[in-house]
PDB file of all heavy atoms in Angstrom:
ATOM      1  N   LEU A  62       4.261  -8.904 -15.633  1.00 98.00           N
ATOM      2  CA  LEU A  62       5.340  -9.111 -14.666  1.00 98.00           C
ATOM      3  C   LEU A  62       6.397 -10.064 -15.217  1.00 98.00           C
ATOM      4  O   LEU A  62       7.593  -9.769 -15.203  1.00 98.00           O
ATOM      5  CB  LEU A  62       4.763  -9.681 -13.362  1.00 98.00           C
ATOM      6  CG  LEU A  62       5.790 -10.014 -12.280  1.00 98.00           C
ATOM      7  CD1 LEU A  62       6.029  -8.802 -11.399  1.00 98.00           C
ATOM      8  CD2 LEU A  62       5.355 -11.188 -11.424  1.00 98.00           C
ATOM      9  N   VAL A  63       5.942 -11.201 -15.729  1.00 98.00           N
ATOM     10  CA  VAL A  63       6.888 -12.228 -16.207  1.00 98.00           C
ATOM     11  C   VAL A  63       7.657 -11.708 -17.417  1.00 98.00           C
ATOM     12  O   VAL A  63       8.888 -11.831 -17.494  1.00 98.00           O
ATOM     13  CB  VAL A  63       6.123 -13.536 -16.547  1.00 98.00           C
ATOM     14  CG1 VAL A  63       7.032 -14.530 -17.266  1.00 98.00           C
ATOM     15  CG2 VAL A  63       5.540 -14.139 -15.280  1.00 98.00           C
ATOM     16  N   HIS A  64       6.936 -11.075 -18.320  1.00 98.00           N
ATOM     17  CA  HIS A  64       7.560 -10.549 -19.529  1.00 98.00           C
ATOM     18  C   HIS A  64       8.667  -9.558 -19.158  1.00 98.00           C
ATOM     19  O   HIS A  64       9.789  -9.636 -19.663  1.00 98.00           O
ATOM     20  CB  HIS A  64       6.483  -9.881 -20.386  1.00 98.00           C
ATOM     21  CG  HIS A  64       7.001  -9.289 -21.649  1.00 98.00           C
ATOM     22  ND1 HIS A  64       7.373 -10.059 -22.729  1.00 98.00           N
ATOM     23  CD2 HIS A  64       7.236  -8.006 -22.012  1.00 98.00           C
ATOM     24  CE1 HIS A  64       7.813  -9.270 -23.699  1.00 98.00           C
ATOM     25  NE2 HIS A  64       7.735  -8.020 -23.288  1.00 98.00           N
ATOM     26  N   GLN A  65       8.348  -8.640 -18.247  1.00 98.00           N
ATOM     27  CA  GLN A  65       9.334  -7.639 -17.875  1.00 98.00           C
ATOM     28  C   GLN A  65      10.467  -8.261 -17.051  1.00 98.00           C
ATOM     29  O   GLN A  65      11.633  -7.878 -17.206  1.00 98.00           O
ATOM     30  CB  GLN A  65       8.677  -6.490 -17.098  1.00 98.00           C
ATOM     31  CG  GLN A  65       9.598  -5.314 -16.851  1.00 98.00           C
ATOM     32  CD  GLN A  65      10.110  -4.668 -18.133  1.00 98.00           C
ATOM     33  OE1 GLN A  65       9.372  -4.562 -19.117  1.00 98.00           O
ATOM     34  NE2 GLN A  65      11.377  -4.266 -18.142  1.00 98.00           N
ATOM     35  N   ALA A  66      10.130  -9.254 -16.208  1.00 98.00           N
ATOM     36  CA  ALA A  66      11.165  -9.907 -15.385  1.00 98.00           C
ATOM     37  C   ALA A  66      12.208 -10.574 -16.278  1.00 98.00           C
ATOM     38  O   ALA A  66      13.388 -10.663 -15.926  1.00 98.00           O
ATOM     39  CB  ALA A  66      10.533 -10.923 -14.447  1.00 98.00           C
ATOM     40  N   GLN A  67      11.779 -11.010 -17.445  1.00 98.00           N
ATOM     41  CA  GLN A  67      12.715 -11.679 -18.360  1.00 98.00           C
ATOM     42  C   GLN A  67      13.573 -10.678 -19.146  1.00 98.00           C
ATOM     43  O   GLN A  67      14.575 -11.052 -19.729  1.00 98.00           O
ATOM     44  CB  GLN A  67      11.946 -12.592 -19.320  1.00 98.00           C
ATOM     45  CG  GLN A  67      11.389 -13.816 -18.605  1.00 98.00           C
ATOM     46  CD  GLN A  67      10.351 -14.568 -19.428  1.00 98.00           C
ATOM     47  OE1 GLN A  67       9.737 -14.002 -20.330  1.00 98.00           O
ATOM     48  NE2 GLN A  67      10.161 -15.838 -19.115  1.00 98.00           N
ATOM     49  N   ARG A  68      13.105  -9.409 -19.165  1.00 98.00           N
ATOM     50  CA  ARG A  68      13.846  -8.401 -19.950  1.00 98.00           C
ATOM     51  C   ARG A  68      14.787  -7.567 -19.090  1.00 98.00           C
ATOM     52  O   ARG A  68      15.983  -7.519 -19.337  1.00 98.00           O
ATOM     53  CB  ARG A  68      12.852  -7.448 -20.626  1.00 98.00           C
ATOM     54  CG  ARG A  68      12.258  -7.982 -21.899  1.00 98.00           C
ATOM     55  CD  ARG A  68      11.092  -7.088 -22.303  1.00 98.00           C
ATOM     56  NE  ARG A  68      11.524  -5.706 -22.457  1.00 98.00           N
ATOM     57  CZ  ARG A  68      11.777  -5.145 -23.626  1.00 98.00           C
ATOM     58  NH1 ARG A  68      11.651  -5.845 -24.737  1.00 98.00           N
ATOM     59  NH2 ARG A  68      12.147  -3.894 -23.686  1.00 98.00           N
ATOM     60  N   LEU A  69      14.198  -6.897 -18.083  1.00 98.00           N
ATOM     61  CA  LEU A  69      14.979  -5.973 -17.255  1.00 98.00           C
ATOM     62  C   LEU A  69      14.169  -5.650 -16.007  1.00 98.00           C
ATOM     63  O   LEU A  69      12.998  -5.282 -16.101  1.00 98.00           O
ATOM     64  CB  LEU A  69      15.224  -4.677 -18.038  1.00 98.00           C
ATOM     65  CG  LEU A  69      16.093  -3.619 -17.350  1.00 98.00           C
ATOM     66  CD1 LEU A  69      17.525  -4.118 -17.172  1.00 98.00           C
ATOM     67  CD2 LEU A  69      16.087  -2.316 -18.150  1.00 98.00           C
ATOM     68  N   THR A  70      14.787  -5.814 -14.842  1.00 98.00           N
ATOM     69  CA  THR A  70      14.022  -5.590 -13.614  1.00 98.00           C
ATOM     70  C   THR A  70      14.510  -4.386 -12.820  1.00 98.00           C
ATOM     71  O   THR A  70      13.720  -3.690 -12.195  1.00 98.00           O
ATOM     72  CB  THR A  70      14.104  -6.817 -12.684  1.00 98.00           C
ATOM     73  OG1 THR A  70      15.476  -7.160 -12.513  1.00 98.00           O
ATOM     74  CG2 THR A  70      13.361  -7.992 -13.274  1.00 98.00           C
ATOM     75  N   LEU A  71      15.810  -4.142 -12.803  1.00 98.00           N
ATOM     76  CA  LEU A  71      16.321  -3.125 -11.893  1.00 98.00           C
ATOM     77  C   LEU A  71      17.600  -2.513 -12.448  1.00 98.00           C
ATOM     78  O   LEU A  71      18.526  -3.228 -12.828  1.00 98.00           O
ATOM     79  CB  LEU A  71      16.612  -3.796 -10.536  1.00 98.00           C
ATOM     80  CG  LEU A  71      16.957  -2.883  -9.378  1.00 98.00           C
ATOM     81  CD1 LEU A  71      15.815  -1.933  -9.056  1.00 98.00           C
ATOM     82  CD2 LEU A  71      17.302  -3.712  -8.145  1.00 98.00           C
ATOM     83  N   THR A  72      17.600  -1.186 -12.480  1.00 97.00           N
ATOM     84  CA  THR A  72      18.797  -0.498 -12.973  1.00 97.00           C
ATOM     85  C   THR A  72      19.207   0.625 -12.029  1.00 97.00           C
ATOM     86  O   THR A  72      20.304   1.144 -12.151  1.00 97.00           O
ATOM     87  CB  THR A  72      18.502   0.186 -14.314  1.00 97.00           C
ATOM     88  OG1 THR A  72      17.414   1.094 -14.116  1.00 97.00           O
ATOM     89  CG2 THR A  72      18.131  -0.828 -15.387  1.00 97.00           C
ATOM     90  N   SER A  73      18.302   1.003 -11.127  1.00 97.00           N
ATOM     91  CA  SER A  73      18.360   2.239 -10.363  1.00 97.00           C
ATOM     92  C   SER A  73      18.136   3.393 -11.327  1.00 97.00           C
ATOM     93  O   SER A  73      18.153   3.221 -12.552  1.00 97.00           O
ATOM     94  CB  SER A  73      19.679   2.446  -9.609  1.00 97.00           C
ATOM     95  OG  SER A  73      20.652   3.021 -10.473  1.00 97.00           O
ATOM     96  N   THR A  78      15.271   4.214 -18.217  1.00 98.00           N
ATOM     97  CA  THR A  78      14.810   2.933 -18.772  1.00 98.00           C
ATOM     98  C   THR A  78      13.635   3.232 -19.688  1.00 98.00           C
ATOM     99  O   THR A  78      13.048   4.325 -19.635  1.00 98.00           O
ATOM    100  CB  THR A  78      14.323   1.937 -17.691  1.00 98.00           C
ATOM    101  OG1 THR A  78      13.083   2.420 -17.138  1.00 98.00           O
ATOM    102  CG2 THR A  78      15.358   1.744 -16.596  1.00 98.00           C
ATOM    103  N   ARG A  80      10.780   2.035 -19.421  1.00 98.00           N
ATOM    104  CA  ARG A  80       9.525   1.711 -18.731  1.00 98.00           C
ATOM    105  C   ARG A  80       9.001   2.853 -17.856  1.00 98.00           C
ATOM    106  O   ARG A  80       7.798   2.964 -17.629  1.00 98.00           O
ATOM    107  CB  ARG A  80       9.713   0.452 -17.862  1.00 98.00           C
ATOM    108  CG  ARG A  80       9.753  -0.836 -18.641  1.00 98.00           C
ATOM    109  CD  ARG A  80       8.373  -1.149 -19.233  1.00 98.00           C
ATOM    110  NE  ARG A  80       8.460  -2.153 -20.270  1.00 98.00           N
ATOM    111  CZ  ARG A  80       8.290  -1.899 -21.577  1.00 98.00           C
ATOM    112  NH1 ARG A  80       8.023  -0.686 -21.986  1.00 98.00           N
ATOM    113  NH2 ARG A  80       8.380  -2.858 -22.461  1.00 98.00           N
ATOM    114  N   LEU A 259       3.268  -6.088  -6.631  1.00 98.00           N
ATOM    115  CA  LEU A 259       4.479  -5.557  -6.017  1.00 98.00           C
ATOM    116  C   LEU A 259       4.250  -4.108  -5.596  1.00 98.00           C
ATOM    117  O   LEU A 259       3.263  -3.491  -5.982  1.00 98.00           O
ATOM    118  CB  LEU A 259       5.677  -5.681  -6.969  1.00 98.00           C
ATOM    119  CG  LEU A 259       5.428  -5.507  -8.466  1.00 98.00           C
ATOM    120  CD1 LEU A 259       5.068  -4.095  -8.766  1.00 98.00           C
ATOM    121  CD2 LEU A 259       6.635  -5.947  -9.240  1.00 98.00           C
ATOM    122  N   THR A 282      16.480   3.667  -4.360  1.00 97.00           N
ATOM    123  CA  THR A 282      17.142   2.689  -5.230  1.00 97.00           C
ATOM    124  C   THR A 282      16.139   1.923  -6.085  1.00 97.00           C
ATOM    125  O   THR A 282      16.332   1.737  -7.282  1.00 97.00           O
ATOM    126  CB  THR A 282      17.941   1.683  -4.375  1.00 97.00           C
ATOM    127  OG1 THR A 282      18.832   2.416  -3.547  1.00 97.00           O
ATOM    128  CG2 THR A 282      18.716   0.711  -5.243  1.00 97.00           C
ATOM    129  N   PHE A 283      15.038   1.505  -5.441  1.00 98.00           N
ATOM    130  CA  PHE A 283      14.051   0.700  -6.165  1.00 98.00           C
ATOM    131  C   PHE A 283      12.952   1.543  -6.810  1.00 98.00           C
ATOM    132  O   PHE A 283      12.166   1.041  -7.598  1.00 98.00           O
ATOM    133  CB  PHE A 283      13.416  -0.330  -5.223  1.00 98.00           C
ATOM    134  CG  PHE A 283      14.320  -1.485  -4.905  1.00 98.00           C
ATOM    135  CD1 PHE A 283      15.213  -1.422  -3.851  1.00 98.00           C
ATOM    136  CD2 PHE A 283      14.285  -2.648  -5.661  1.00 98.00           C
ATOM    137  CE1 PHE A 283      16.055  -2.488  -3.549  1.00 98.00           C
ATOM    138  CE2 PHE A 283      15.117  -3.724  -5.383  1.00 98.00           C
ATOM    139  CZ  PHE A 283      16.011  -3.640  -4.320  1.00 98.00           C
ATOM    140  N   GLY A 285      10.683   3.459  -9.086  1.00 98.00           N
ATOM    141  CA  GLY A 285      10.596   3.553 -10.540  1.00 98.00           C
ATOM    142  C   GLY A 285      11.307   2.435 -11.274  1.00 98.00           C
ATOM    143  O   GLY A 285      11.622   2.583 -12.454  1.00 98.00           O
ATOM    144  N   ASN A 286      11.555   1.308 -10.597  1.00 98.00           N
ATOM    145  CA  ASN A 286      12.236   0.208 -11.297  1.00 98.00           C
ATOM    146  C   ASN A 286      11.359  -0.330 -12.426  1.00 98.00           C
ATOM    147  O   ASN A 286      10.137  -0.305 -12.361  1.00 98.00           O
ATOM    148  CB  ASN A 286      12.661  -0.893 -10.308  1.00 98.00           C
ATOM    149  CG  ASN A 286      11.485  -1.664  -9.758  1.00 98.00           C
ATOM    150  OD1 ASN A 286      10.907  -2.515 -10.427  1.00 98.00           O
ATOM    151  ND2 ASN A 286      11.095  -1.336  -8.533  1.00 98.00           N
ATOM    152  N   PRO A 287      12.001  -0.808 -13.502  1.00 98.00           N
ATOM    153  CA  PRO A 287      11.231  -1.186 -14.697  1.00 98.00           C
ATOM    154  C   PRO A 287      10.218  -2.303 -14.450  1.00 98.00           C
ATOM    155  O   PRO A 287       9.155  -2.319 -15.080  1.00 98.00           O
ATOM    156  CB  PRO A 287      12.293  -1.618 -15.713  1.00 98.00           C
ATOM    157  CG  PRO A 287      13.601  -1.612 -15.007  1.00 98.00           C
ATOM    158  CD  PRO A 287      13.456  -0.843 -13.750  1.00 98.00           C
ATOM    159  N   LEU A 288      10.518  -3.201 -13.526  1.00 98.00           N
ATOM    160  CA  LEU A 288       9.561  -4.280 -13.249  1.00 98.00           C
ATOM    161  C   LEU A 288       8.267  -3.705 -12.679  1.00 98.00           C
ATOM    162  O   LEU A 288       7.161  -3.999 -13.164  1.00 98.00           O
ATOM    163  CB  LEU A 288      10.182  -5.284 -12.270  1.00 98.00           C
ATOM    164  CG  LEU A 288       9.344  -6.526 -11.980  1.00 98.00           C
ATOM    165  CD1 LEU A 288       9.143  -7.361 -13.235  1.00 98.00           C
ATOM    166  CD2 LEU A 288       9.984  -7.374 -10.883  1.00 98.00           C
ATOM    167  N   ALA A 289       8.402  -2.863 -11.659  1.00 98.00           N
ATOM    168  CA  ALA A 289       7.218  -2.268 -11.039  1.00 98.00           C
ATOM    169  C   ALA A 289       6.488  -1.366 -12.036  1.00 98.00           C
ATOM    170  O   ALA A 289       5.252  -1.334 -12.064  1.00 98.00           O
ATOM    171  CB  ALA A 289       7.618  -1.475  -9.790  1.00 98.00           C
ATOM    172  N   CYS A 290       7.246  -0.633 -12.855  1.00 98.00           N
ATOM    173  CA  CYS A 290       6.613   0.280 -13.812  1.00 98.00           C
ATOM    174  C   CYS A 290       5.800  -0.477 -14.859  1.00 98.00           C
ATOM    175  O   CYS A 290       4.699  -0.054 -15.226  1.00 98.00           O
ATOM    176  CB  CYS A 290       7.662   1.143 -14.508  1.00 98.00           C
ATOM    177  SG  CYS A 290       8.370   2.375 -13.408  1.00 98.00           S
TER     178      CYS A 290
END
Side-chain angles (χ1 to χ4, degrees):
L62 177 89
V63 170
H64 179 74
Q65 188 61 38
Q67 289 166 338
R68 278 168 57 100
L69 183 66
T70 52
L71 189 62
T72 58
S73 84
T78 70
R80 285 291 164 251
L259 35 68
T282 305
F283 285 87
N286 70 76
L288 185 63
C290 289

